[in-house]
Amino acid sequence: MAARHEEIADALRQAIDLGEYPVGGMLPTETELSARYAVSRGTVRQAVAALTAEGRIGSRQGARRVVLGSRRSQSFAELRSFAQWAKAMGHTATGRVIHQFRRPATVEDAQRLQIAPGEEVLQVLRVRGLDGEPVLLERNVYAQWMADAVERLPAECESVVQALYDDIGMIFAYGEHVIDAVAAGAEDARLLDIRRGSPLLRIRRMTTTPAGRPIEWSDDRYVSGTVSFAVANSIGSNPLARQSGQS
Amino acid sequence: MAARHEEIADALRQAIDLGEYPVGGMLPTETELSARYAVSRGTVRQAVAALTAEGRIGSRQGARRVVLGSRRSQSFAELRSFAQWAKAMGHTATGRVIHQFRRPATVEDAQRLQIAPGEEVLQVLRVRGLDGEPVLLERNVYAQWMADAVERLPAECESVVQALYDDIGMIFAYGEHVIDAVAAGAEDARLLDIRRGSPLLRIRRMTTTPAGRPIEWSDDRYVSGTVSFAVANSIGSNPLARQSGQS
DNA sequence: AAGTGGTCTAGACCACGAT
DNA sequence: TCGTGGTCTAGACCACTTG
């Protein structure tokens, strides 16, 4: 059973989507919501904090909360799994390994995966598709302790995250993502069936276990026009930082 | 004076940066932190929630909190102002208006700004530079009630956000950002001094007042290699949603 | 001045992870 | 089993916005 504050958050989301609390309008006061749902004020605050973090409502001391918009944001888990996201959006995800091999860790690998330079890592190149069209080129580097499990995966694997969970109970818990744009190189163009120099949205990711141990890092390149990312920010709290130059 | 929970969050951030709580290690328990800072457990939880949202620590029921990394994340306010971000990063920002004119709102304008189609809006095209180099093309559409103030701005304005705050006390409080990659068009290429077809990182933004009233929306295109964006996510809470197709 | 959200407390119980 | 974080309560006071 979901926590009470999550139930309330869901109820509020639904009310906003149904226009019960119109965009540009105001939410009831905390006191009123406490009474309506028969919970303490603290629980109501937990619920509205979730909507605030999603950018659906705005909050300022002294004034009533404002409805900013009704994002659908198929939310959660989505960043960790291309396949799960695709499924949630009603698309079909495919995946195919182009090549994979073990090699010694470069200095960059070592830094990102918190291992020693020269330690063995597994490099994988995958093409992933949406509804039959190739949309994404994934260049992954896995830490050695993950290599065996990854090599056991079938060449055509729909969801890597799901397969690794089923196989060895691996959970991808945390991630960091750096986003920029690059031109398609020769290999990119050939595998994604686009022209060389076409714009690609690049996401460089780093993933860890729930205990904070680095699992892999990846350079993902999305074909322009197929996928975009959305972020909400508000005064005094934004989850996104702009960075200068290449890094 | 900052709130107690913010002071504690700052102290923890600093302790992490100094290696007192090493990356991959664990944070003290809530109870211990309560005792150390002489506050209630609730206040400690507010503090660590901030670090969790920043992606610096990981949290799971039953296990101690884990230190994931020490991001510097020049954070805050940065998404709302190119100039403020540049300044914080030690760069010099410039801005120049190429053209600006009033016109009736299209259906798209009307939707985004929550106004009626045909109502007058102000369209502005600006080139913005970093340390002398043009890096960003901004196509803004302002709601009519903002138009006078925007037209009063000098053609070479370093910080629009700052100038509008100084002039009329305008605060840009909330924003939504959709990120993807596009190829430079003819106008893009000419004004940014790059080749046509070069990859650009595109951010489409929508900004509102603290009361939730739409101020403007904008199509920003960054020259590849000059700026990137970073996002942290964790299981059960991510501020970022992947979106399909153009929207 | 009244209303509302932000902060903080002190305590209780539960769910999950580690041992 | 024990320790830890997650949930929830009930109440107090403060800071800010609004009329």
Side-chain angles (χ1 to χ4, degrees):
Chain A
M1 197 52 206
R4 193 80 183 94
H5 69 85
E6 284 182 12
E7 292 177 4
I8 296 170
D10 277 338
L12 292 174
R13 272 185 276 259
Q14 193 175 339
I16 291 173
D17 291 342
L18 293 175
E20 191 171 331
Y21 304 128
V23 171
M26 286 176 170
L27 229 56
T29 66
E30 295 180 354
T31 312
E32 187 178 330
L33 290 173
S34 309
R36 183 177 310 178
Y37 294 104
V39 296
S40 77
R41 197 181 147 213
T43 303
V44 167
R45 285 180 61 79
Q46 266 188 289
V48 296
L51 302 212
T52 304
E54 292 164 17
R56 299 171 80 115
I57 64 177
S59 208
R60 316 136 62 197
Q61 191 174 57
R64 290 267 287 279
R65 288 190 172 80
V66 174
V67 179
L68 294 173
S70 48
R71 324 252 168 287
R72 56 258 159 278
S73 160
Q74 289 292 344
S75 69
F76 312 137
E78 300 166 5
L79 255 191
R80 293 194 303 289
S81 170
F82 178 76
Q84 281 168 29
W85 162 76
K87 188 175 174 187
M89 299 295 276
H91 298 292
T92 311
T94 56
R96 184 164 52 91
V97 172
I98 303 300
H99 67 233
Q100 75 182 7
F101 56 89
R102 300 192 186 215
R103 61 170 175 76
T106 64
V107 174
E108 186 185 20
D109 295 330
Q111 274 181 350
R112 298 198 192 232
L113 297 178
Q114 292 170 30
I115 60 176
E119 191 173 312
E120 195 177 67
V121 295
L122 176 66
Q123 172 150 358
V124 181
L125 177 63
R126 283 192 197 89
V127 175
R128 313 200 64 167
L130 209 53
D131 299 330
E133 290 294 311
V135 300
L136 163 61
L137 204 59
E138 255 185 17
R139 293 183 176 87
N140 298 77
V141 177
Y142 293 90
Q144 182 174 32
W145 59 279
M146 281 292 300
D148 286 344
V150 173
E151 286 179 334
R152 274 200 299 273
L153 295 174
E156 306 246 346
C157 181
E158 190 188 309
S159 174
V160 174
V161 168
Q162 186 64 46
L164 287 175
Y165 176 75
D166 294 343
D167 187 13
I168 59 172
M170 173 58 56
I171 293 177
F172 294 71
Y174 308 109
E176 196 206 345
H177 311 254
V178 177
I179 306 174
D180 60 3
V182 294
E187 188 177 51
D188 299 332
R190 189 177 73 250
L191 292 169
L192 290 173
D193 195 23
I194 55 178
R195 278 203 305 281
R196 195 162 172 283
S198 298
L200 296 173
L201 185 66
R202 176 170 68 170
I203 319 276
R204 282 170 293 182
R205 309 182 283 111
M206 207 277 290
T207 315
T208 75
T209 66
R213 187 177 188 190
I215 298 173
E216 48 132 20
W217 71 269
S218 176
D219 178 312
D220 298 349
R221 302 181 182 200
Y222 292 85
V223 173
S224 173
T226 60
V227 169
S228 62
F229 291 79
V231 177
N233 78 315
S234 71
I235 203 167
S237 103
N238 70 352
L240 191 147
R242 186 155 25 186
Q243 298 194 330
S244 170
Q246 307 281 18
S247 69
Chain B
M1 197 51 205
R4 193 82 182 94
H5 69 85
E6 284 183 11
E7 293 178 1
I8 296 170
D10 277 339
L12 292 175
R13 270 185 277 257
Q14 193 175 340
I16 291 173
D17 291 342
L18 292 175
E20 193 171 329
Y21 304 127
V23 171
M26 286 176 169
L27 228 55
T29 65
E30 295 179 355
T31 313
E32 187 178 330
L33 290 173
S34 308
R36 184 178 310 178
Y37 293 104
V39 296
S40 77
R41 198 181 146 214
T43 304
V44 166
R45 284 179 62 79
Q46 267 189 290
V48 296
L51 302 211
T52 304
E54 292 164 17
R56 300 170 79 115
I57 64 177
S59 207
R60 316 135 61 196
Q61 191 174 60
R64 289 267 285 281
R65 288 191 172 80
V66 175
V67 179
L68 294 174
S70 48
R71 323 254 167 282
R72 58 261 158 275
S73 160
Q74 288 293 342
S75 67
F76 311 136
E78 300 165 5
L79 258 190
R80 293 194 304 289
S81 170
F82 178 74
Q84 280 168 30
W85 162 76
K87 190 176 173 184
M89 299 295 276
H91 297 292
T92 311
T94 56
R96 185 164 50 94
V97 171
I98 303 300
H99 67 235
Q100 75 183 5
F101 56 90
R102 300 192 184 213
R103 60 170 175 75
T106 65
V107 173
E108 186 185 19
D109 296 330
Q111 274 182 350
R112 298 196 192 234
L113 297 178
Q114 292 170 31
I115 58 177
E119 190 175 313
E120 195 177 67
V121 295
L122 176 65
Q123 173 149 359
V124 181
L125 176 63
R126 283 193 196 90
V127 176
R128 313 200 63 166
L130 210 54
D131 300 330
E133 290 294 310
V135 300
L136 164 59
L137 203 58
E138 257 185 15
R139 292 185 177 87
N140 297 72
V141 177
Y142 294 90
Q144 182 175 32
W145 59 279
M146 282 291 302
D148 287 343
V150 173
E151 286 180 333
R152 275 199 300 274
L153 295 174
E156 306 246 344
C157 181
E158 190 188 308
S159 174
V160 174
V161 168
Q162 186 65 46
L164 288 176
Y165 177 74
D166 295 342
D167 187 13
I168 59 173
M170 173 58 54
I171 293 178
F172 294 71
Y174 306 110
E176 195 205 347
H177 311 253
V178 177
I179 306 175
D180 61 3
V182 295
E187 188 177 51
D188 299 333
R190 188 177 74 248
L191 293 169
L192 291 173
D193 194 23
I194 55 178
R195 277 203 305 281
R196 195 161 172 285
S198 299
L200 297 173
L201 185 66
R202 176 169 69 169
I203 319 277
R204 280 170 294 181
R205 308 183 282 111
M206 206 277 289
T207 316
T208 76
T209 66
R213 187 176 188 191
I215 298 173
E216 47 132 22
W217 71 270
S218 177
D219 178 312
D220 298 348
R221 301 182 180 199
Y222 292 85
V223 173
S224 172
T226 60
V227 169
S228 62
F229 291 79
V231 177
N233 79 313
S234 71
I235 203 166
S237 106
N238 70 352
L240 192 145
R242 187 155 22 186
Q243 297 194 330
S244 169
Q246 307 282 18
S247 68

